[in-house]
Amino acid sequence: MTGGSARTRIPVLLYHAVMADPPDWIAEFTVSPREFAAQLDAVVASGRTAVTVGALAAHVSTGAPLPPRPVVLTFDDGFADLVGPTAEALAERGLPSTAYLTTGAITRGRPCLLPPAPMMTLAQAPRLEQYGMEVGAHTATHPQLDTLAPAALRRELRESKAVLEDVLGHEVRHLAYPHGYNSPAVRRAAAAAGYTSAVAVRHALSSGSDEVYRIARLIVRRGHTVADVERWMEGRGAKAAPFPDSLPTVGWRMYRRARALLKGPEFAG
């Protein structure tokens, strides 16, 4: 596969909460249950085959085969709807997916930078796998990883991985960078921590030639409609990765790093 044509473009959708009345801070990245169902129906109608991030990562890194027209559905953070109506909607349509959990947000008494919201619990994580979801890590506290000192970065990556492995009873191999923030140093740290893939955001379609430690995703916002999903399923509506960071992206990273030196770790959102 290459990223040169619409035929080889792979949509990787990023969802957060699926609820009717979300907290203000996550509302922009929330879709209603009715809209979510309609979007899933559009995915099914497109004829694409849903696969996990693990399957896509294996294709990118080793050339492992994929269905002719794959799509990947991902869910970040671990909102309360995930274990229940959201997982049920996916299972009813036979759509495997990947969920990335922020361990501090789903574990009572643990520190986390995410603002308050209805969340699932760490003990419920094995239920996601019973629904056919692949489970990955989304750090411990949801910081801007590319602004952290090396020791803090290693702690975020390793702690969340270990916590999830303990409750699931098996290795956790996949990572999502909070808000997609990453850098060459962050990607090297992800590999050193034992992850075999990591997803970013990039507001782009992925492809068979994407980078396995910054797989491109498309954030689904509350203003997106079924028509947007249909375009993405057709391989349209966004450019395809891989591509280098833009100058504004690099400049924004430098600004955030300087701010973190003054204020300390900040919520990635």
Side-chain angles (χ1 to χ4, degrees):
M1 274 188 170
T2 66
S5 70
R7 183 177 62 84
T8 62
R9 295 182 174 196
I10 303 171
V12 183
L13 305 190
L14 163 54
Y15 287 94
H16 290 84
V18 179
M19 61 179 73
D21 188 24
D24 288 346
W25 70 270
I26 197 62
E28 175 64 22
F29 304 109
T30 298
V31 297
S32 70
R34 177 176 295 184
E35 181 65 23
F36 181 62
Q39 291 177 8
L40 293 186
D41 288 340
V43 170
V44 173
S46 75
R48 284 190 178 264
T49 301
V51 299
T52 63
V53 166
L56 174 58
H59 176 76
V60 171
S61 59
T62 70
L66 281 177
R69 299 183 68 242
V71 61
V72 184
L73 305 174
T74 69
F75 299 82
D76 280 10
D77 299 324
F79 291 93
D81 62 89
L82 190 59
V83 182
T86 296
E88 289 166 4
L90 293 160
E92 287 168 2
R93 294 164 175 82
L95 297 172
S97 61
T98 300
Y100 294 102
L101 305 181
T102 305
T103 53
I106 64 174
T107 308
R108 185 183 297 273
R110 298 296 298 171
C112 189
L113 296 170
L114 281 175
M119 306 299 290
M120 61 176 282
T121 67
L122 179 64
Q124 292 175 316
R127 286 181 55 192
L128 296 177
E129 296 186 329
Q130 294 171 9
Y131 279 110
M133 282 189 172
E134 176 181 65
V135 176
H138 197 37
T139 73
T141 71
H142 208 280
Q144 299 178 18
L145 291 178
D146 56 348
T147 69
L148 298 182
L153 172 60
R154 288 192 297 270
R155 184 167 58 250
E156 286 286 341
L157 299 178
R158 295 176 186 273
E159 179 183 321
S160 53
K161 189 175 192 294
V163 167
L164 289 171
E165 289 176 344
D166 185 59
V167 72
L168 295 172
H170 61 75
E171 186 180 10
V172 170
R173 305 175 65 193
H174 308 293
L175 169 72
Y177 305 121
H179 210 66
Y181 289 143
N182 69 95
S183 66
V186 170
R187 297 193 290 273
R188 289 192 297 270
Y195 295 102
T196 58
S197 82
V199 291
V201 178
R202 314 213 80 189
H203 309 293
L205 294 152
S206 185
S207 73
S209 57
D210 205 350
E211 300 169 82
V212 75
Y213 284 102
R214 59 168 172 178
I215 293 170
R217 296 191 290 174
L218 295 152
I219 291 184
V220 183
R221 299 173 181 265
R222 63 179 171 182
H224 283 128
T225 65
V226 166
D228 294 306
V229 174
E230 289 172 341
R231 278 192 292 273
W232 294 333
M233 294 305 108
E234 294 167 359
R236 300 189 296 113
K239 62 182 176 180
F243 49 83
D245 285 336
S246 66
L247 288 177
T249 295
V250 174
W252 176 234
R253 182 183 303 139
M254 294 174 64
Y255 168 75
R256 290 184 293 100
R257 284 176 173 169
R259 187 173 63 189
L261 290 174
L262 297 175
K263 296 185 176 182
E266 294 186 273
F267 164 57

